[in-house]
Amino acid sequence: MKARATRPAAEVARPHRKTSEISRSFAKNFVTSFSAALLFFVVASASAQSQPLQRNESERELFELLNHERSANNLPELKWDDALFKAARQHALLMLDQDDFDHRLPGEPALEERLTNAGARFTYIAENIAMGKDSATIHNGWMHSPGHRANILSPRATAVGIAVVRGAMTLFAVEDFSHSIGGESLEKQEKQVAALLTAKGWRVTGSAEDARKSCDSNAGIPGVHGWSVVRFEAGDLSAFDVELEKKLRSQSHRNVAVGACRVREGAGFSRYKIALVFY
């Protein structure tokens, strides 16, 4: 059952996470009481939705607080993502308009579709939502909730968009997180895979350009006989999955060339495409 609180005499927040395998993990909702004396806020105008999005003071403050927490925990700071910002703002405005509080409101698409429709491209997504009197109170509540804290300090996240809209008696806040692969070069992808292979005892050599050609075809390395190719797609290049590990152990060759190639561009969950040419 979902915990609910009488508004505005409570702080409420809920986390949401989703990986490229479309699994869901919801942390327990929490309610943190605070003084019933709240500032009065002007209801956001519907006409603001048609204007170019600009970050307000509360959104900037939450962004700074979030990255301060990550730096304090030796994690890289998150980049601001306009597509995530757009999706977060739309969800926050809908919560305000419907005077409701959830990750998915009646008639609204699920998180994955909302981020996709906003133009985001990702391999991992997560979301925090909250109601509270100010940004500092909301952030403090998130950091004292295991599920929300895990989203803020996730090593998988690389980008975030944060929205805060003002209601008559409270703030509605949304943090949308993602790991985006849109800007990573083929060379960077190949280096990540090569490092994993080297750590497992393979000698990474050969032509990356020739290996790239085998990413989309049955080509091997010109002039080299007895080669074999292992092709795979993954949403994360930090480790090999179990099935790929089995394929690698079956290889008799100890030399390998690594080639990455582009997958079809588009919004939504995306994947890396890699070819390993053993010889």
Side-chain angles (χ1 to χ4, degrees):
M1 294 179 65
K2 296 180 180 178
R4 301 187 66 85
T6 302
R7 306 188 190 98
E11 298 290 348
V12 186
R14 294 177 189 165
H16 178 277
R17 290 193 299 278
K18 187 169 185 180
T19 67
S20 55
E21 289 76 28
I22 320 298
S23 64
R24 290 183 172 84
S25 173
F26 291 94
K28 292 182 178 179
N29 303 327
F30 73 88
V31 178
T32 305
S33 298
F34 67 90
S35 172
L38 297 176
L39 296 176
F40 177 82
F41 294 108
V42 178
V43 176
S45 169
S47 63
Q49 300 182 48
S50 62
Q51 302 300 319
L53 292 182
Q54 298 291 331
R55 279 184 273 183
N56 59 42
E57 183 178 351
S58 296
E59 291 160 350
R60 289 191 293 269
E61 183 177 0
L62 279 176
F63 184 55
E64 292 172 1
L65 289 169
L66 179 153
N67 276 328
H68 175 76
E69 299 287 357
R70 291 181 66 88
S71 296
N73 285 272
N74 299 314
L75 291 166
E77 294 188 355
L78 299 186
K79 296 180 180 179
W80 185 266
D81 187 287
D82 285 336
L84 298 179
F85 178 33
K86 178 181 177 181
R89 180 68 71 79
Q90 289 173 342
H91 186 60
L93 286 170
L94 189 60
M95 288 196 297
L96 171 65
D97 182 62
Q98 296 189 11
D99 190 28
D100 200 357
F101 177 72
D102 210 335
H103 287 286
R104 186 177 185 180
L105 299 173
E108 183 186 34
L111 176 61
E112 176 188 350
E113 187 176 349
R114 285 195 281 114
L115 300 188
T116 297
N117 292 341
R121 185 167 177 256
F122 42 79
T123 63
Y124 161 88
I125 55 177
E127 182 175 78
N128 286 346
I129 61 174
M131 295 168 56
K133 64 178 181 178
D134 55 44
S135 297
T137 303
I138 289 171
H139 178 76
N140 185 60
W142 278 337
M143 290 305 296
H144 284 83
S145 165
H148 301 86
R149 179 185 175 90
N151 285 345
I152 289 172
L153 299 181
S154 171
R156 298 187 64 184
T158 60
V160 68
I162 302 171
V164 181
V165 298
R166 301 173 183 267
M169 296 294 288
T170 190
L171 296 179
F172 292 85
V174 179
E175 287 183 333
D176 283 338
F177 305 87
S178 80
H179 176 88
S180 172
I181 69 171
E184 296 183 4
S185 67
L186 297 181
E187 290 80 4
K188 183 176 181 180
Q189 296 173 37
E190 290 160 356
K191 286 181 180 179
Q192 286 182 269
V193 175
L196 293 175
L197 290 167
T198 299
K200 294 180 180 297
W202 274 276
R203 182 168 176 261
V204 180
T205 184
S207 168
E209 190 62 36
D210 289 332
R212 288 178 190 176
K213 294 177 182 178
S214 67
C215 213
D216 287 315
S217 68
N218 293 321
I221 300 177
V224 176
H225 299 286
W227 50 265
S228 64
V229 180
V230 173
R231 300 177 183 84
F232 69 94
E233 293 187 19
D236 181 9
L237 294 181
S238 63
F240 296 141
D241 65 26
V242 175
E243 290 303 315
L244 181 56
E245 287 276 9
K246 291 179 181 179
K247 292 181 180 179
L248 297 181
R249 287 196 295 268
S250 70
Q251 297 298 315
S252 58
H253 304 293
R254 302 312 297 174
N255 295 327
V256 60
V258 181
C261 55
R262 295 293 181 191
V263 295
R264 183 178 61 84
E265 293 293 331
F269 276 99
S270 301
R271 299 176 70 78
Y272 301 98
K273 190 174 182 180
I274 307 291
L276 306 178
V277 183
F278 294 88
Y279 60 99

